[in-house]
Amino acid sequence: MKMRDLVDHYRVEKGYWFVPHMFGFGVTPVTWQGWLVTIGFAALLAVDVRFLQDQIGQIGIGVALVGLFTMIAIRKTQGGLGWHWGTRK
């Protein structure tokens, strides 16, 4: 793999915040908006787990947060989700 391929993999068109992982399944934030959403998701999930006493409530809010983050990631990922093995063509 050439360095140019790696740099090109992490470039996105306007309007996208994430790129698919180069190997495997998942997304990587590549813009400030993607990082903000990812950090915000992690912070809200940590607050949910730490401060909410009701276990059913914790699970419900956690599932809702994961679902919301996943929907945003799918919509804002250039190239879509799926199993990847190497750079995007």
Side-chain angles (χ1 to χ4, degrees):
M1 177 184 319
K2 298 178 185 171
M3 183 60 120
R4 181 76 181 156
D5 293 336
L6 184 62
V7 170
D8 287 343
H9 178 79
Y10 289 101
R11 285 203 178 111
V12 290
E13 295 174 11
K14 187 175 182 173
Y16 292 106
W17 301 347
F18 299 93
V19 294
H21 283 174
M22 195 174 299
F23 296 96
F25 187 81
V27 297
T28 302
V30 291
T31 65
W32 69 267
Q33 296 97 330
W35 281 106
L36 182 67
V37 169
T38 303
I39 292 168
F41 162 71
L44 288 172
L45 196 58
V47 167
D48 172 40
V49 170
R50 173 67 175 99
F51 295 110
L52 197 61
Q53 299 301 318
D54 179 33
Q55 211 170 22
I56 300 296
Q58 274 183 346
I59 293 169
I61 290 173
V63 167
L65 287 171
V66 169
L68 179 63
F69 179 77
T70 302
M71 287 189 316
I72 292 169
I74 289 170
R75 185 176 177 104
K76 294 294 188 174
T77 298
Q78 182 174 342
L81 290 179
W83 184 263
H84 295 277
W85 197 255
T87 59
R88 295 178 287 157
K89 301 291 185 231

